[in-house]
Amino acid sequence: MTAVSMVIIAGLVQQFNGDMEGAIPFILMVFFLAGLIQILLGFLKVGQLIKYIPYPVVSGFMTGIGVIILITQIPPLVGYDATNDQELIDRFKPQAEEVLLDKILRDEADEGLLVLEDFRETVRRAELITSEEILIESKTLVARDAAGVIGSLKYILRAVQQVSWLELLLGLMTIMIIYGFKYITESIPSTLVALLAVTLLVVFAGFNASLIGEIPTGFPSIHLNIFSNFSIWEISPFVFSALSLALLGAIDSLLTSVVADNMTKTKHDSDRELFGEGIGNSIAALFGGLPGAGATIRTVVNIQAGGKTRLSGMIAGLLLLVILLILGPYAEAIPQAVLAGILITVGFGVMDYKGLRALTSMPRTDAIVLIIVLTLTVFW
């Protein structure tokens, strides 16, 4: 959803010649339309089609999500952050300079300057680039290269070589509490106990651990100018983008719902899910929010922590609002290794071991579908 939103944002900003303020009403209108389309899909009962997704697809998707979590959480578990790896940053500096120079050339092209005829102007602008700008761009390139499953696998050896034993110990302690506390009582979510216990340990012991970092606080302003500045001609090229966002979010949420059904032995209402998601995305757009969808990983965390009703989702939303308004500075103190430990237990928990064990006995076509879905989920 974020990746598609980025493409839409970039396209509209380019259409407004780089004027972000002018583009924002139209960007948010696309997001608003995506929400309305999802509401319409709910009314038309399109959600009913989710029941035709076969078990091997759901099984491969669930196991793929688990594999993604496990691989991507290894670097933070051992305390490795590629954007703080100086050797890696230096390696990307030539590429960062190339990106910055390319930006100068594009700016000059937009201004109608002929680079070869006025090369001194290009040199002058290039000389204004500071070492800090190069460092920031280099870190951005490193972060992009180290992101996701491929990036994590690419730098996993560097992560292991530069292991922080404190971070690893905090992560392993979190994992042990999550699995061990369940034997004491299941009335209190062991994930919450682990989160609070290890975070408080780090705070009171004064350990130098990597933390979540700054969280924005305060209520966002409402953007009613998306209606006053609306032009159907300027937005029409992006209606298909809104439809893509709506369908992508619908598929993501409904597949997540199927995974939740599989874990809780319940049955969701697909059309109600689409209707609710559409209302949420429409209202979010009014406050400058990106469109979202039901997230499998967060849903699994919720279920494994004992949340199996609508109330758990409502509490999660209200808690996020409280964090946004009040508790941001406290949430910033949560160590990244603790979150990595929590997610690793989720990664193991979400995998469909029944499907994996049945691979050799199920029909060959089903096994092939399961493996293909698993592979695409992880690597694509």
Side-chain angles (χ1 to χ4, degrees), residues 1 12 32 41 74 86 92 140 156 177 218 230 235 244-245 265 270 280 298 311 320 333 336 338:
M1 293 289 280
L12 275 163
F32 183 77
L41 292 175
I74 291 174
Q86 193 58 49
F92 274 85
T140 302
I156 200 164
I177 293 173
F230 178 69
I235 206 75
S244 300
L245 271 175
K265 309 306 177 192
S270 297
R298 289 200 302 274
L311 183 62
L320 284 171
Q336 291 187 12
V338 171

Side-chain angles (χ1 to χ4, degrees), residues 7 18 31 105 109 139 265 283 333 344 375:
V7 172
F31 297 162
L105 295 173
K139 283 189 173 185
K265 309 306 177 192
I283 295 174
I344 281 171
T375 305

Side-chain angles (χ1 to χ4, degrees), residues 109-375:
D110 291 339
E111 295 168 19
L113 293 176
L114 298 173
V115 175
L116 294 178
E117 290 185 12
D118 193 5
F119 194 65
R120 286 190 184 88
E121 175 62 18
T122 306
V123 173
R124 186 189 70 79
R125 294 188 185 190
E127 287 175 344
L128 294 175
I129 297 173
T130 64
S131 56
E132 187 179 350
E133 287 178 302
I134 296 171
L135 179 64
I136 292 170
E137 186 62 44
S138 183
K139 283 189 173 185
T140 302
L141 292 172
V142 169
R144 190 182 304 163
D145 199 53
V149 172
I150 303 296
S152 297
L153 290 174
K154 194 173 181 179
Y155 296 111
I156 200 164
L157 190 58
R158 292 185 70 86
V160 173
Q161 288 171 342
Q162 300 179 39
V163 60
S164 165
W165 296 107
L166 171 62
E167 307 268 359
L168 180 59
L169 184 63
L170 293 173
L172 293 177
M173 194 182 301
T174 303
I175 294 170
M176 286 189 290
I177 293 173
I178 290 172
Y179 286 130
F181 193 80
K182 292 178 181 178
Y183 292 102
I184 299 173
T185 177
E186 291 193 357
S187 59
I188 303 173
S190 61
T191 303
L192 181 61
V193 174
L195 177 67
L196 292 174
V198 184
T199 300
L200 290 173
L201 172 66
V202 170
V203 170
F204 288 112
F207 291 141
N208 185 24
S210 300
L211 309 179
I212 289 179
E214 185 180 354
I215 296 175
T217 56
F219 206 81
S221 56
I222 190 165
H223 293 262
L224 293 178
N225 59 344
I226 69 173
F227 301 110
S228 59
N229 295 340
F230 178 69
S231 167
I232 189 65
W233 302 113
E234 287 179 289
I235 206 75
S236 57
F238 295 91
V239 170
F240 183 74
S241 300
L243 179 62
S244 300
L245 271 175
L247 292 175
L248 179 64
I251 292 167
D252 197 7
S253 292
L254 295 180
L255 198 51
T256 297
S257 300
V258 172
V259 171
D261 287 349
N262 200 43
M263 295 179 70
T264 59
K265 309 306 177 192
T266 57
K267 187 171 177 60
H268 73 281
D269 185 329
S270 297
D271 299 316
R272 178 179 287 178
E273 175 70 29
L274 291 180
F275 188 77
E277 185 182 340
I279 293 173
N281 281 332
S282 298
I283 295 174
L286 297 179
F287 290 92
L290 291 173
T296 308
I297 294 172
R298 289 200 302 274
T299 301
V300 171
V301 171
N302 192 11
I303 293 170
Q304 290 193 337
K308 298 183 180 180
T309 67
R310 296 170 195 160
L311 183 62
S312 65
M314 293 167 67
I315 291 173
L318 290 172
L319 183 58
L320 284 171
L321 181 61
V322 171
I323 290 172
L324 177 70
L325 299 178
I326 304 169
L327 299 179
Y330 299 100
E332 290 169 10
I334 299 172
Q336 291 187 12
V338 171
L339 290 183
I342 291 171
L343 283 170
I344 281 171
T345 63
V346 172
F348 282 118
V350 73
M351 288 186 178
D352 184 27
Y353 297 104
K354 184 178 74 172
L356 291 175
R357 283 194 297 267
L359 266 175
T360 54
S361 58
M362 68 172 63
R364 182 176 294 180
T365 51
D366 285 2
I368 291 171
V369 167
L370 194 156
I371 292 168
I372 288 174
V373 172
L374 193 161
T375 305

Side-chain angles (χ1 to χ4, degrees), residues 3-49:
V4 175
S5 298
M6 283 169 59
V7 172
I8 293 168
I9 291 168
L12 275 163
V13 169
Q14 186 178 21
Q15 190 166 312
F16 280 80
N17 298 318
D19 178 16
M20 181 57 117
E21 288 301 315
I24 276 181
F26 296 91
I27 292 168
L28 298 183
M29 177 53 76
V30 172
F31 297 162
F32 183 77
L33 286 175
L36 293 184
I37 292 170
Q38 287 176 329
I39 293 172
L40 181 63
L41 292 175
F43 270 125
L44 296 176
K45 299 192 179 299
V46 174
Q48 303 286 337
L49 299 176

